Amino acid sequence: MSLAAIGAGSAHAAVGENLDQSCTKYSQDGGTTWGNLDVLSWNTDRPVPGHEVKQASFKIKNSCDTPAKFQVFAGNWELPGGGSATVRANAGSVKGSKHSLAGGPGILVVETGRLIQNTPIDVELFVGIPQGETEQNFTIKPDWSTSLEEVAGDAPVDPVDPTDPGGDGGSGSLDSGSLGSGSLGSMFGSLGGGSSDAAKSVQVSLNAPAIHAGGR
C-alpha cells in the first residue's frame, strides 16, 4: 500500500499503516511553536547503575486530519565496548515499562490510543543502566524513532500501553525485550523493505546523540 498524496494538513495511508512523517510535529517550548526534528534538544547527563536519565522531553501532535496512534520505538541501539542499558518512554498518560537493550532490535516501547488532528501530548524518553552493571564509562548509542499509525475513526481515544495491558504501566518493571521478536520485531525489521512495506516504513529516526555511562 503506497502513501496517498499529502495535502494541506491531510494524509491517508490505510488502517495499520504509517502516515507520512510530515504529519508529526514537535515542540519543546510547551506548544508555542511547532516544527520538525530540528526543534529537539537532548540531555547529555550520564546514567549510573540503578538509575535512568531523561534524555529528552517534548510535545508532539498529529497535524494531519487522519486519526492515528503515536508510537515510540527503540531500534538498532549499539553498546560498543560492552555494558548494558535500558530504555523507557512515556507518551501522554501512558507510562511505559523498561526494556532491556540486550533484546533484538525493533522494540515498540510505548504507544497511545487514537490522536485526532492537532491534539498535543507530552513525550519523555529515558535511558538507564541496570543496578547490577559493573562495566563503567561505556557508550550507549541510541536509536529512538517514532511513527503515527493510522487507526479507524472509531478507535478508542484512551491511551493503551502495549507493554502492560493490565494497566500497571508505571511500575517500571524490567522487560526482557521480548517485544523485539515475533510480529513487532518483524514489523520493525521490514522497515525500508519492498513496495508492499512502503507505507509502514514511514518511521522517523530522532537522531539522538550518544550517551556516556557513568560509574558507581
Side-chain angles (χ1 to χ4, degrees):
M1 178 71 69
S2 61
L3 281 173
I6 303 299
S10 176
H12 179 74
V15 172
E17 303 294 342
N18 290 343
L19 303 185
D20 187 84
Q21 64 181 12
S22 64
C23 293
T24 308
K25 297 301 180 185
Y26 305 83
S27 175
Q28 263 190 328
D29 60 5
T32 301
T33 57
W34 294 89
N36 299 319
L37 294 178
D38 53 0
V39 307
L40 299 183
S41 60
W42 299 87
N43 177 22
T44 58
D45 288 352
R46 297 162 62 99
V48 298
H51 297 277
E52 61 183 12
V53 298
K54 185 186 297 184
Q55 193 182 18
S57 61
F58 47 88
K59 288 183 178 292
I60 70 97
K61 67 178 180 180
N62 175 9
S63 66
C64 292
D65 60 6
T66 300
K69 58 184 177 181
F70 176 73
Q71 301 173 316
V72 177
F73 294 88
N76 295 300
W77 291 66
E78 294 182 54
L79 293 166
S84 59
T86 62
V87 291
R88 182 171 68 86
N90 298 330
S93 62
V94 182
K95 307 301 181 185
S97 300
K98 289 182 181 179
H99 293 264
S100 171
L101 293 183
I107 302 170
L108 174 58
V109 181
V110 74
E111 67 179 15
T112 69
R114 174 167 57 95
L115 296 181
I116 60 176
Q117 187 175 26
N118 294 328
T119 301
I121 61 169
D122 292 311
V123 178
E124 299 175 308
L125 308 178
F126 299 88
V127 179
I129 300 177
Q131 179 66 48
E133 179 58 65
T134 58
E135 194 75 32
Q136 297 187 23
N137 299 316
F138 57 93
T139 300
I140 305 168
K141 294 185 176 180
D143 188 22
W144 294 110
S145 59
T146 67
S147 66
L148 284 172
E149 181 182 303
E150 181 171 339
V151 297
D154 59 353
V157 176
D158 293 338
V160 176
D161 182 355
T163 68
D164 191 8
D168 189 22
S171 63
S173 58
L174 178 64
D175 187 282
S176 64
S178 60
L179 289 178
S181 60
S183 60
L184 289 176
S186 299
M187 178 192 72
F188 193 94
S190 69
L191 299 184
S195 58
S196 63
D197 296 320
K200 194 65 188 181
S201 67
V202 180
Q203 191 174 54
V204 183
S205 174
L206 300 187
N207 301 318
I211 294 176
H212 300 286
R216 292 183 179 274

